[in-house]
Amino acid sequence: MTPELREQEERLQFDRFDHDDAWALGTLLVGLARERGHAVTVDIRLGDHQLFHYALHGTSADNDDWIERKVRVVRRFGHSSYLVGQTYRDRGTTFEEKSHLDAALYAAHGGCFPIILRGTGPVGTVTVSGLPQLDDHRLVVEALELFLDAKGSEKGTSSPER
């Protein structure tokens, strides 16, 4: 699974990302969650600047705490929170056991994905909290795929050139 997770980060990159993109991506995520009846919280940031945050009915402040902990992992390691956790699982251990980081501050659970600018690297995060960790991760990846495909279509380019 780790190679697939790394491939996602290579593929799901932006040429640019701004406030309007955060709004469009965030509303896309909220729409997908609503269609499926998911109770999730969605959060999008550029650096430390929170550009989008929405909590659907059925969520709580606990989801906000999970988001903060997942975001810290992505900021520290530069990879999706699910990939970081999976890397430890691949070694036969856990992030909590071997990272030596405070579990109250860091959570290597799925749902936070770096916003990566092509040629620059990670500049922000898009995070979902409320589902089992793999489902959180998959929802973010699906939304990024849809969003980037739409942006590629708007520019008249094929999706590999995103």
Side-chain angles (χ1 to χ4, degrees), residues 69 72 95 99-107:
R69 294 165 59 215
R72 284 188 191 100
F95 177 82
S99 71
H100 305 293
L101 295 171
D102 186 345
L105 297 175
Y106 294 87

Side-chain angles (χ1 to χ4, degrees), residues 21-78:
D21 293 318
W23 173 258
L25 178 58
T27 56
L28 172 63
L29 268 164
V30 169
L32 290 171
R34 278 191 172 140
E35 286 173 10
R36 297 166 189 178
H38 295 325
V40 298
T41 299
V42 176
D43 183 271
I44 301 176
R45 300 173 189 197
L46 272 178
D48 290 331
H49 193 176
Q50 186 178 57
L51 302 182
F52 186 94
H53 190 89
Y54 189 83
L56 281 96
H57 181 73
T59 61
S60 71
D62 287 344
N63 298 103
D64 296 328
D65 181 57
W66 275 99
I67 285 171
E68 293 299 329
R69 294 165 59 215
K70 293 176 187 183
V71 166
R72 284 188 191 100
V73 166
V74 173
R75 285 184 178 162
R76 184 172 186 121
F77 293 91

Side-chain angles (χ1 to χ4, degrees), residues 14 37 59 112 128:
F14 294 81
T59 61
C112 188
V128 168

